[in-house]
Amino acid sequence: MGAVKGIAILMATLKAAASAYAVQTKRYEDAYNTLREAGVERPSVSTTAATLSDDLVLAYAELLGAERARTDAQRAMWAAERAVAEAVNG
């Protein structure tokens, strides 16, 4: 019974990580599309503030933040997947 409960907890963790990944991917795509619609192709950090409007600088900051959060969520999913596999396989 304890192993089943442990696996259920790990599966819930995996589900939460997958949900966070989906949310961050949506954030990333929204910011990317905002920049793309304005004709901006992934500007460099050094030129962003000097060449873009305030709205596009905020979109770029959102893009960078979402990219980092998405990477963190993906790592959490991988860790949860490994933990589930280890729990199931013993």
Side-chain angles (χ1 to χ4, degrees):
M1 183 71 162
V4 172
K5 187 174 181 180
I7 292 170
I9 290 169
L10 292 171
M11 291 298 292
T13 302
L14 176 57
K15 184 177 178 181
S19 177
Y21 181 79
V23 167
Q24 298 309 324
T25 296
K26 177 72 170 122
R27 262 183 70 208
Y28 178 89
E29 290 171 351
D30 288 349
Y32 178 83
N33 288 334
T34 297
L35 290 168
R36 194 166 140 218
E37 288 167 6
V40 177
E41 291 295 326
R42 188 80 179 193
S44 68
V45 173
S46 61
T47 61
T48 299
T51 60
L52 298 178
S53 68
D54 290 346
D55 289 344
L56 293 179
V57 169
L58 291 175
Y60 183 62
E62 181 72 10
L63 178 84
L64 294 177
E67 184 175 52
R68 175 60 192 251
R70 187 172 71 163
T71 299
D72 291 345
Q74 188 172 41
R75 287 182 181 139
M77 278 191 332
W78 291 336
E81 287 171 347
R82 281 191 306 273
V84 168
E86 288 173 6
V88 169
N89 296 327

